[in-house]
Amino acid sequence: MELFQYMEKYDYEQVLFCQDKESGLKAIIVIHDTTLGPALGGTRMWMYNSEEEALEDALRLARGMTYKNAAAGLNLGGGKTVIIGDPRKDKNEAMFRAFGRFIQGLNGRYITAEDVGTTVADMDIIYQETDYVTGISPEFGSSGNPSPATAYGVYRGMKAAAKEAFGSDSLEGKVVAVQGVGNVAYHLCRHLHEEGAKLIVTDINKEAVARAVEEFGAKAVDPNDIYGVECDIFAPCALGGIINDQTIPQLKAKVIAGSANNQLKEPRHGDMIHEMGIVYAPDYVINAGGVINVADELYGYNRERAMKKIEQIYDNIEKVFAIAKRDNIPTYVAADRMAEERIETMRKARSQFLQNGHHILSRRRAR
Ligand SMILES: NC(=O)C1=CN([C@@H]2O[C@H](COP(=O)(O)OP(=O)(O)OC[C@H]3O[C@@H](n4cnc5c(N)ncnc54)[C@H](O)[C@@H]3O)[C@@H](O)[C@H]2O)C=CC1
Ligand SMILES: CC(C)CC(=O)C(=O)O
């Protein structure tokens, strides 16, 4: 990949490669856009096959956070980190302390949180080195694990998508096929089960599947079979790129609504499902519950306030469908339009010079 060429194409601000030999830290922090505020996005730890693959993931995820935060109405820009390594074997305290110091060095341009492979305990270690971390333990007055909040937002967004596809937002009796029953999807399944939906689940982790079968009466299928099962709604809740040339022809669902980031392998796959009449709830709009929850920590965490904003994911998804209809475009394009419009409006609103206390002039006056 020609990195600068790619950065220019999608207008990335900064890419930081972080290395600490003692702890084994190899991290890539990407700050995509800070027009709306500091970049907030989680840290993913994953066993990438190559550094190129890790960089590509970090770049895509960071840009997704710019759109997610903008569409959710947050005054935050987009960024993300990937740490290269096996989260089950390669973690140590020194690694997250070293990582925290790199974040501190960015002086507030980037704020982190959990993502796949990192936990509240990891965030608590980072917190020992920097304030620029969220999703830390409730003991520190913070919001803790963002997954239940993400799940609730996905549940709300799924109801809005069901209303669009079936004329009613009730999920009672609807068959929902859930790919990956990890942190987010476990809580999503609980909401769906409580409303009377029927669940079909899969995961590469057998224990996760067994828990969903036992607690929610879910039917289990093999990971490769989830795309083609007879269902009303497909909920991708594992990793990205799963809406692609191989999986689209298998789909029987009328709705796609799940938590995974970057569900479309390429934009053209969004066009393909649109042409098939599938109602797609764009990933970064429906899965914003977690970031809305952790972002509330920046004001002094208030769960009630955060949940109120997460409820609105229902309205945000409806807004996307309305733009898609108005402009006769697929929903993924409508979501981008909604986010880009907000960023551009705010860029203009914030264009006048404002003395901010860190400016050279304020220091001169203080002398
Ligand atoms: N945790 C959060 O608050 C948020 C998560 N997301 C996204 O939602 C997705 C899930 O996140 P978490 O639940 O936190 O992660 P997780 O790691 O707890 O769960 C993912 C599950 O997917 C399973 N899985 C992986 N590959 C699979 C495959 N090929 N087939 C079937 N199952 C597979 C894993 O075994 C795991 O149980 C990720 O894409 C993440 O980026 C997005 C926004 C917030
Ligand atoms: C997990 C969230 C707190 C932030 C994030 O990285 C995301 O929404 O993907």
Side-chain angles (χ1 to χ4, degrees):
M1 174 198 295
E2 295 293 338
L3 182 55
F4 276 110
Q5 213 172 313
Y6 189 88
M7 286 176 75
E8 209 177 314
K9 183 171 174 195
Y10 295 107
D11 218 1
Y12 286 86
E13 291 180 14
Q14 191 174 7
V15 178
L16 184 72
F17 293 86
C18 313
Q19 185 279 133
D20 180 66
K21 198 161 74 178
E22 291 301 316
S23 64
L25 175 75
K26 286 190 181 61
I28 307 170
I29 303 175
V30 178
I31 298 177
H32 174 248
D33 186 289
T34 57
T35 305
L36 294 180
L40 196 158
T43 294
R44 176 173 292 193
M45 185 163 183
W46 194 250
M47 302 147 286
Y48 292 99
N49 293 317
S50 66
E51 290 173 10
E52 180 91 6
E53 191 184 284
L55 176 61
E56 274 172 22
D57 205 27
L59 287 163
R60 263 197 100 186
L61 289 164
R63 184 161 170 259
M65 289 309 300
T66 298
Y67 282 80
K68 184 181 306 195
N69 293 339
L74 299 172
N75 294 318
L76 291 164
K80 199 95 175 188
T81 300
V82 304
I83 296 179
I84 301 171
D86 184 339
R88 288 162 305 182
K89 293 199 304 240
D90 298 334
K91 280 183 186 177
N92 58 71
E93 184 186 354
M95 171 182 280
F96 286 100
R97 293 287 287 260
F99 176 47
R101 294 174 79 82
F102 280 111
I103 296 174
Q104 181 65 18
L106 287 165
N107 201 24
R109 275 175 51 71
Y110 170 67
I111 303 166
T112 201
E114 293 86 350
D115 190 49
V116 174
T118 58
T119 62
V120 175
D122 301 330
M123 297 306 127
D124 286 350
I125 298 174
I126 295 170
Y127 184 48
Q128 293 178 47
E129 299 291 347
T130 183
D131 259 344
Y132 303 119
V133 53
T134 55
I136 45 182
S137 288
E139 293 92 280
F140 297 114
S142 299
S143 65
N145 182 353
S147 303
T150 303
Y152 185 60
V154 173
Y155 166 66
R156 293 284 301 158
M158 188 183 283
K159 284 176 79 66
K163 189 170 166 209
E164 179 73 11
F166 310 117
S168 157
D169 73 3
S170 169
L171 298 172
E172 191 179 354
K174 291 279 177 287
V175 180
V176 186
V178 183
Q179 180 183 43
V181 264
N183 286 320
V184 175
Y186 169 75
H187 294 281
L188 174 64
C189 287
R190 181 168 49 76
H191 291 299
L192 296 174
H193 179 62
E194 279 167 10
E195 192 169 328
K198 298 187 181 108
L199 298 171
I200 302 174
V201 301
T202 194
D203 200 295
I204 48 174
N205 175 347
K206 288 192 169 59
E207 284 162 24
V209 171
R211 186 169 66 157
V213 169
E214 194 185 312
E215 292 187 27
F216 310 125
K219 178 182 164 201
V221 296
D222 284 339
N224 288 332
D225 295 339
I226 195 75
Y227 306 103
V229 293
E230 289 290 346
C231 64
D232 300 298
I233 299 169
F234 173 46
C237 298
L239 296 179
I242 36 66
I243 310 292
N244 57 44
D245 291 333
Q246 284 70 47
T247 59
I248 289 173
Q250 302 175 48
L251 295 175
K252 303 216 170 55
K254 273 238 145 300
V255 170
I256 299 175
S259 76
N261 279 310
N262 298 332
Q263 292 171 23
L264 303 174
K265 186 154 178 29
E266 295 170 37
R268 68 186 174 85
H269 296 117
D271 301 330
M272 283 167 73
I273 54 175
H274 174 66
E275 276 151 29
M276 289 161 71
I278 294 175
V279 174
Y280 171 56
D283 45 15
Y284 65 73
V285 182
I286 197 170
N287 73 12
V291 77
I292 293 170
N293 201 48
V294 300
D296 199 81
E297 287 181 24
L298 305 174
Y299 301 94
Y301 183 61
N302 178 314
R303 185 179 143 79
E304 205 180 314
R305 180 175 57 204
M307 292 312 278
K308 229 177 182 170
K309 206 162 169 54
I310 294 166
E311 291 260 333
Q312 286 167 6
I313 288 178
Y314 187 108
D315 311 70
N316 296 346
I317 291 287
E318 282 196 320
K319 243 182 253 169
V320 169
F321 293 153
I323 295 171
K325 273 194 210 129
R326 181 194 71 193
D327 298 349
N328 195 21
I329 49 176
T331 55
Y332 82 94
V333 182
D336 283 3
R337 209 164 273 185
M338 186 169 91
E340 282 162 6
E341 272 171 17
R342 179 158 184 260
I343 293 169
E344 282 321 303
T345 307
M346 292 306 145
R347 197 193 302 277
K348 285 180 196 136
R350 299 176 70 190
S351 65
Q352 100 213 76
F353 173 75
L354 188 64
Q355 182 65 270
N356 64 10
H358 299 295
H359 192 275
I360 185 77
L361 290 178
S362 61
R363 268 179 273 150
R364 239 196 240 163
R365 258 206 306 273
R367 268 189 220 134

